[in-house]
Amino acid sequence: MRKDINILLAGCGNMGRALVKGWLAEGRDPKRIQVVDPNSEAASAARDLHVKAVASLSETQVPVDVVVLAVKPQQLEAVLPAYRELAAAGVVFLSIAAGKPIEFYERVLGGEPAIVRGMPNVPVAIGQGMTVLSANGAVTADQHALCEALMAAVGDVAWLTDEQLMDAVTAVSGSGPAYVFLLIECLIDAAVSVGLERDLARQLAEKTVAGAGAYALVSEHEPSELRRQVTS
Ligand SMILES: NC(=O)c1ccc[n+]([C@@H]2O[C@H](COP(=O)([O-])OP(=O)(O)OC[C@H]3O[C@@H](n4cnc5c(N)ncnc54)[C@H](OP(=O)(O)O)[C@@H]3O)[C@@H](O)[C@H]2O)c1
């Protein structure tokens, strides 16, 4: 991993914060990470992690090697024009915004910007995320490797050459944790409804999902076979 990389993170909410924590945990220098977030709470959370946090791009320092976009998708159209100069200078943009195709960034940034579109999921908060990346033709081999390393700091990474399939990724792994959390909620409610104490019900539900997931990950059997082992 190259540690002399200067990272500019736009948006330090839930996902942005998880990324900063992951980068610091693997030994990146906090002095090489800058955060832009006009939200004072988010900026303060970034400063608590000992990284520089400012309210606008004009307050940041150069050089920048990569811009990581972790703002809400609906904020991007307003946020991006200020970044045109960095894009024109060849800086790679790694965006984790849901639902925005690479073509959107190319249009708003102009020229031939280097764009990597990523879809992580919320377990990045504990370094166990799953991120799928897709890049446009302007991204160099070094920039590919850099974006992969930045997301590998918070979990596993896979690449897709067909960007169209990013919507499917968003449905499966990006949104998937919500289904799993709903399953946990349902298991807890069901357990309570048949007489178990809520604390024990929660422990049973969470350990069941975590344990089954961990077992599926390491098992040589297909999930369908693992299911049959239980329902036989
Ligand atoms: N959460 C997930 O499970 C998940 C999974 C995959 C991908 N994503 C993507 O990750 C991105 C971030 O999601 P999140 O849940 O971390 O959102 P979030 O908690 O709302 O964080 C976004 C942050 O960006 C700030 N912001 C607003 N305008 C800005 C600007 N001009 N420059 C810099 N920062 C600005 C927001 O401030 P204000 O709150 O004041 O607007 C907020 O602090 C989204 O695009 C989402 O699609 C999320």
Side-chain angles (χ1 to χ4, degrees):
M1 178 186 78
R2 277 188 57 193
K3 289 198 178 159
D4 58 342
I5 291 296
N6 296 302
I7 304 167
L8 178 58
L9 171 71
C12 199
N14 297 318
M15 298 301 274
R17 234 165 282 175
L19 288 172
V20 173
K21 284 181 190 165
W23 298 333
L24 295 176
E26 66 171 16
R28 288 194 183 272
D29 182 353
K31 291 193 191 70
R32 290 188 180 274
I33 302 172
Q34 302 181 77
V35 165
V36 180
D37 198 315
N39 183 309
S40 56
E41 207 179 301
S44 158
R47 283 185 209 110
D48 288 346
L49 296 171
H50 310 292
V51 301
K52 180 180 170 177
V54 296
S56 78
L57 181 62
S58 60
E59 299 167 75
T60 59
Q61 292 162 344
V62 287
V64 170
D65 298 297
V66 56
V67 173
V68 179
L69 296 167
V71 299
K72 291 278 186 210
Q74 61 271 25
Q75 296 168 327
L76 275 172
E77 188 104 37
V79 169
L80 277 181
Y83 289 80
R84 281 182 186 143
E85 210 173 304
L86 284 171
V91 171
V92 63
F93 282 66
L94 166 60
S95 175
I96 61 164
K100 291 288 187 189
I102 288 173
E103 166 283 313
F104 164 82
Y105 302 91
E106 292 171 339
R107 177 174 57 76
V108 181
L109 289 170
E112 291 177 13
I115 308 294
V116 176
R117 176 182 174 190
M119 179 44 57
N121 62 9
V122 84
V124 294
I126 56 161
Q128 295 195 31
M130 179 69 231
T131 301
V132 178
L133 298 172
S134 192
N136 71 0
V139 177
T140 65
D142 280 355
Q143 290 172 334
H144 260 99
L146 168 58
C147 293
E148 181 169 321
L150 292 179
M151 297 314 299
V154 288
D156 287 4
V157 178
W159 285 90
L160 260 184
T161 43
D162 182 358
E163 193 211 342
Q164 302 284 329
L165 292 171
M166 285 300 266
D167 289 339
V169 169
T170 305
V172 177
S173 56
S175 311
Y179 299 112
V180 176
F181 297 138
L182 180 62
L183 172 62
I184 294 173
E185 283 180 67
C186 292
L187 285 172
I188 294 171
D189 289 345
V192 169
S193 75
V194 292
L196 287 169
E197 293 287 340
R198 183 157 283 273
D199 283 354
L200 179 59
R202 180 170 173 179
Q203 185 184 9
L204 298 187
E206 289 175 350
K207 284 296 285 183
T208 298
V209 170
Y215 186 29
L217 262 182
V218 299
S219 174
E220 64 199 22
H221 298 299
E222 290 290 318
S224 56
E225 172 55 24
L226 295 178
R227 174 177 50 76
R228 272 192 288 277
Q229 288 176 10
V230 181
T231 56
S232 62

